[in-house]
């Protein structure tokens, strides 16, 4: 009886299934011809298939960080409290409470 190796999962009558890599010898002859033509099975000598290891090498991508220059902040004696939090020049070395003017 001819043996075939399934190259993909195949359902065949009567209510049977073979998975990729499995050997099968009871495929209907008409089905075997069609499956061979479609490349879904191959003739087998009954030995285990030679499996080449697959080594995936991910490319090394070097990314340099984008460094944006920090704008130079200067003391502004006329700074205003735009967000009304009670401080001027927020988040800088020149942050200070709002001076009340009368």
């Amino acid at each position: 009886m001819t043996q075939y190796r399934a190259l993909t999962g195949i359902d065949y009558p009567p209510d049977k299934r073979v998975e990729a890599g499995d050997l099968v010898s009871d495929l209907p002859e008409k089905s075997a011809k069609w499956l061979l033509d479609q490349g879904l099975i191959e003739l087998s000598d009954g030995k285990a298939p030679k499996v080449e290891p697959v080594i995936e090498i991910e490319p090394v991508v070097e990314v340099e960080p984008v460094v944006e220059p920090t704008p130079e902040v200067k003391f502004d004696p006329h700074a205003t409290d735009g967000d009304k939090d009670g401080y001027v020049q927020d988040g800088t070395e020149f942050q200070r409470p709002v001076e009340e003017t009368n």
Side-chain angles (χ1 to χ4, degrees):
M1 197 174 259
T2 308
Q3 275 198 325
Y4 302 97
R5 182 175 321 283
L7 302 177
T8 186
I10 301 169
D11 293 315
Y12 64 101
D15 298 322
K16 294 185 178 182
R17 179 160 179 87
V18 63
E19 297 297 334
D22 291 346
L23 295 178
V24 62
S25 59
D26 61 346
L27 287 174
E29 192 172 322
K30 288 172 83 174
S31 297
K33 180 177 180 348
W34 177 85
L35 291 166
L36 279 167
D37 292 343
Q38 296 297 313
L40 302 174
I41 62 172
E42 65 185 8
L43 287 170
S44 174
D45 57 7
K47 297 179 184 173
K50 180 180 178 186
V51 178
E52 296 290 330
V54 176
I55 300 172
E56 293 185 26
I57 300 174
E58 293 195 25
V60 176
V61 178
E62 292 185 26
V63 178
E64 293 191 29
V66 175
V67 179
E68 295 188 20
T70 307
E72 186 177 330
V73 178
K74 296 181 180 178
F75 179 79
D76 181 359
H78 306 292
T80 59
D81 183 13
D83 59 3
K84 308 291 185 210
D85 67 350
Y87 293 93
V88 293
Q89 290 194 276
D90 297 23
T92 71
E93 61 185 285
F94 304 110
Q95 178 176 324
R96 60 196 180 278
V98 175
E99 294 179 6
E100 293 193 28
T101 58
N102 292 327

